[in-house]
C-alpha cells in the first residue's frame, strides 16, 4: 500500500486538485502508459492499495471491447476482495474523447467498493498535457460523501505536472534506483534475447528430466548460482560458467531454493543475474531464469515488470509450470503475500540442503 495524504482533500478545500495523483501514475506503474485504462483502488484511509493498467480496447462505437469489459469486471471482484472502498479511473489516450461507456463499465463493476469515485482523461502522460474530469465524484444512497479518495468537488481540468518529479517517481529513483520507462514496450526490450557470445556452446539445449527428490546435486547447483549472485553480474562470464549456471537452473529444486533471494539483501544482485541469463539462455534454463526474475518482481509488487518476465519465460518454454503459476496469479490479482508458503518452502529447502541462504530481510508487497 502507498500512503498518499498529500494527493487528497479532507473536504475543507473548495476543490480537490487531482494533479498530484495523476502525475504519480507513471511512477506507480514504472512506465508512461499509452492507450490505457488505469485503475487506482483505495482503502478507507485514502491509502492507495493497488494500481492496475489495462489496454484500452474499444469497439467502433466507443464501448469497451468484450476483453476490456471482462477484465474490468474481473478486477472489480478482485479489488472488492482486497477491501477497497473507492476507485479512480484514468484513461490515457491521444484521441482524448469523453469515454462515457468506459467509465460506466467501471462504475458497474466496482459497485461493491462504492463505485467510481472519479474518472479522468489525458492524452499522454507528459509534462503540460491537458487533463479533464469526465466522471465526477458522487454520493451513493446511504452515503454522506463519495467513495475514497476524494471527499469534495474535483477540479474540472488542468495541466499535468512533471511525472518524473512526482514524489512516487523520486522515491522510485532514489530508493529503488529505477527510472520511469517511456512505454510498456521498453519493458520487453530489456529482455530481448542476446547471445552470450558467438559460440553456440553458450546456448545449450539441455534435456528435460523428471525431478528426483532434492539431494546433493541440487545443493551444489544452488551454491554455484549463489556464489555468482554474490559476485555480481557485471563481470564477464565464460561459456563454461554460463553453461554451468544453465545446468543448475534446470533443477526445479535448485530454482525453488533461489526463489528465496527475492526477500533477502541479495535481491538486487539476483535481479541482475536473472535478467542477464533470461536474455542469453534458451529453453528450460532460460525459462527458469525469466521465471525467477518475474517472481522477484512479483514479490516487490512490480506487476508490469513481472508480467513481461513471465511472458518471456513462457515464450522459451510454454510448459514451464512455475511460470504458468505466476502468470495465473498475476491474471487473478493475487497479492504477493498469497505466495508466502512458496517462500517458506524455499528457505526451508535451502536449510535442509545446507545451501547457506542469507536471512530474510524483506517482506512481500501488499
Amino acid at each position: 500500500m502507498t500512503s498518499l495524504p498529500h494527493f487528497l482533500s479532507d473536504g475543507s478545500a473548495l476543490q480537490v486538485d487531482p494533479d498530484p495523483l495523476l502525475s504519480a501514475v507513471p511512477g506507480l506503474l514504472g512506465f508512461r502508459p499509452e492507450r490505457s485504462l488505469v485503475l487506482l483502488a483505495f482503502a478507507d484511509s485514502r491509502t492507495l492499495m493497488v494500481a492496475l493498467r489495462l489496454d484500452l480496447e474499444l469497439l467502433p462505437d466507443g464501448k469497451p471491447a468484450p476483453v476490456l469489459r471482462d477484465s474490468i469486471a474481473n478486477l472489480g471482484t478482485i479489488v472488492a476482495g482486497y477491501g477497497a472502498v473507492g476507485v479512480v479511473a484514468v484513461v490515457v489516450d491521444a484521441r482524448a474523447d469523453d469515454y462515457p461507456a468506459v467509465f460506466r463499465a467501471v462504475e458497474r463493476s466496482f459497485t461493491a467498493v462504492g463505485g467510481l469515485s472519479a474518472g479522468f482523461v489525458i492524452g499522454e502522460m507528459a509534462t503540460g498535457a491537458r487533463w479533464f474530469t469526465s466522471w465526477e465524484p458522487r454520493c451513493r444512497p446511504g452515503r454522506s460523501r463519495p467513495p475514497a479518495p476524494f471527499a469534495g468537488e474535483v477540479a474540472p481540468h488542468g495541466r499535468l505536472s512533471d511525472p518524473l518529479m512526482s514524489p512516487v517517481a523520486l522515491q522510485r529513483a532514489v530508493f529503488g534506483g529505477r527510472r520511469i520507462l517511456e512505454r510498456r514496450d521498453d519493458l520487453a526490450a530489456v529482455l530481448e534475447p542476446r547471445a552470450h557470445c558467438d559460440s553456440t556452446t553458450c546456448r545449450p539445449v539441455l534435456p528435460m528430466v523428471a525431478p528426483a527428490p532434492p539431494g546433493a546435486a541440487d545443493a551444489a547447483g544452488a551454491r554455484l548460482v549463489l556464489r555468482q549472485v554474490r559476485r555480481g553480474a557485471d563481470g564477464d562470464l565464460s561459456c563454461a560458467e554460463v553453461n554451468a549456471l544453465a545446468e543448475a537452473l534446470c533443477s526445479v529444486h535448485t530454482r525453488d531454493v533461489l526463489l528465496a533471494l527475492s526477500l533477502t539483501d541479495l535481491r538486487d544482485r539476483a535481479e541482475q543475474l536473472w535478467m542477464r541469463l533470461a536474455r542469453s539462455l534458451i529453453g528450460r534454463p532460460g525459462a527458469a531464469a525469466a521465471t525467477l526474475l518475474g517472481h522477484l518482481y512479483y514479490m516487490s509488487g512490480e506487476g508490469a515488470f513481472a508480467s513481461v518476465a513471465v511472458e518471456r519465460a513462457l515464450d522459451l518454454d510454454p510448459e514451464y509450470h512455475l511460470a504458468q503459476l505466476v502468470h495465473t496469479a498475476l491474471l487473478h490479482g493475487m497479492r504477493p503475500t498469497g505466495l508466502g508458503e512458496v517462500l517458506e518452502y524455499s528457505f526451508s529447502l535451502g536449510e535442509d540442503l545446507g545451501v547457506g541462504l542469507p536471512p530474510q530481510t524483506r517482506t512481500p508487497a501488499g
Side-chain angles (χ1 to χ4, degrees):
M1 292 189 181
T2 303
S3 183
L4 306 173
H6 56 289
F7 287 177
L8 313 172
S9 168
D10 60 5
S12 59
L14 293 178
Q15 283 189 336
V16 181
D17 180 10
D19 176 74
L21 176 60
L22 298 177
S23 62
V25 167
L28 293 168
L29 298 177
F31 59 96
R32 298 179 194 257
E34 299 174 313
R35 206 74 175 268
S36 299
L37 171 64
V38 180
L39 300 173
L40 308 169
F42 290 83
D44 194 31
S45 59
R46 295 185 296 169
T47 298
L48 180 66
M49 302 182 71
V50 63
L52 307 159
R53 189 207 72 89
L54 298 170
D55 290 334
L56 188 64
E57 300 188 44
L58 305 177
L59 299 174
D61 60 1
K63 294 180 180 179
V67 63
L68 176 58
R69 186 177 62 249
D70 292 345
S71 296
I72 293 172
N74 182 49
L75 291 178
T77 302
I78 292 170
V79 169
Y82 285 178
V85 295
V87 63
V88 171
V90 183
V91 169
V92 185
D93 191 0
R95 292 171 295 184
D97 200 351
D98 286 341
Y99 305 96
V102 174
F103 292 122
R104 284 197 300 269
V106 177
E107 165 74 6
R108 287 193 300 268
S109 297
F110 286 80
T111 301
V113 301
L116 181 58
S117 178
F120 304 95
V121 177
I122 186 168
E124 59 177 339
M125 283 292 173
T127 306
R130 179 179 177 271
W131 57 261
F132 63 88
T133 302
S134 182
W135 185 283
E136 298 180 2
R138 60 192 68 183
C139 295
R140 303 301 186 280
R143 292 174 179 261
S144 60
R145 65 175 188 173
F150 300 118
E153 182 183 355
V154 176
H157 54 79
R159 297 282 179 177
L160 194 72
S161 56
D162 188 353
L164 298 182
M165 297 303 294
S166 75
V168 174
L170 292 175
Q171 182 182 41
R172 181 182 182 87
V174 173
F175 296 104
R178 296 185 182 280
R179 64 183 178 88
I180 295 175
L181 300 178
E182 285 302 310
R183 55 189 58 84
R184 188 179 184 275
D185 288 348
D186 292 343
L187 301 180
V190 171
L191 290 179
E192 285 183 354
R194 303 178 190 174
H196 174 66
C197 66
D198 293 335
S199 173
T200 57
T201 61
C202 263
R203 295 168 66 83
V205 180
L206 300 174
M208 296 173 58
V209 180
D218 306 299
R223 293 191 196 99
L224 171 72
V225 180
L226 192 56
R227 284 195 298 271
Q228 185 59 54
V229 169
R230 289 193 166 105
R231 283 174 52 192
D234 294 334
D236 291 333
L237 288 173
S238 68
C239 285
E241 289 173 321
V242 171
N243 288 342
L245 292 170
E247 185 173 0
L249 291 180
C250 279
S251 163
V252 295
H253 304 306
T254 295
R255 179 211 64 198
D256 287 347
V257 171
L258 297 171
L259 290 171
L261 296 181
S262 64
L263 298 183
T264 72
D265 286 342
L266 290 178
R267 183 255 181 226
D268 294 340
R269 292 195 174 194
E271 177 190 1
Q272 295 171 9
L273 183 60
W274 304 158
M275 185 176 294
R276 181 168 181 172
L277 295 177
R279 289 196 304 249
S280 60
L281 296 176
I282 60 176
R284 177 57 57 95
T291 302
L292 284 165
L293 182 63
H295 173 270
L296 180 146
Y297 287 138
Y298 188 70
M299 288 297 105
S300 300
E302 299 180 89
F305 287 83
S307 178
V308 170
V310 170
E311 288 171 7
R312 167 71 174 155
L314 293 174
D315 285 342
L316 291 168
D317 185 349
E319 302 301 320
Y320 200 66
H321 179 69
L322 183 59
Q324 294 173 340
L325 175 64
V326 178
H327 180 63
T328 300
L330 286 165
L331 287 178
H332 288 84
M334 182 186 295
R335 293 184 180 185
T337 50
L339 293 182
E341 291 183 2
V342 175
L343 273 301
E344 290 178 8
Y345 172 73
S346 296
F347 281 105
S348 176
L349 180 60
E351 183 177 356
D352 292 343
L353 294 176
V355 171
L357 287 170
Q360 178 177 342
T361 55
R362 302 175 182 232
T363 57

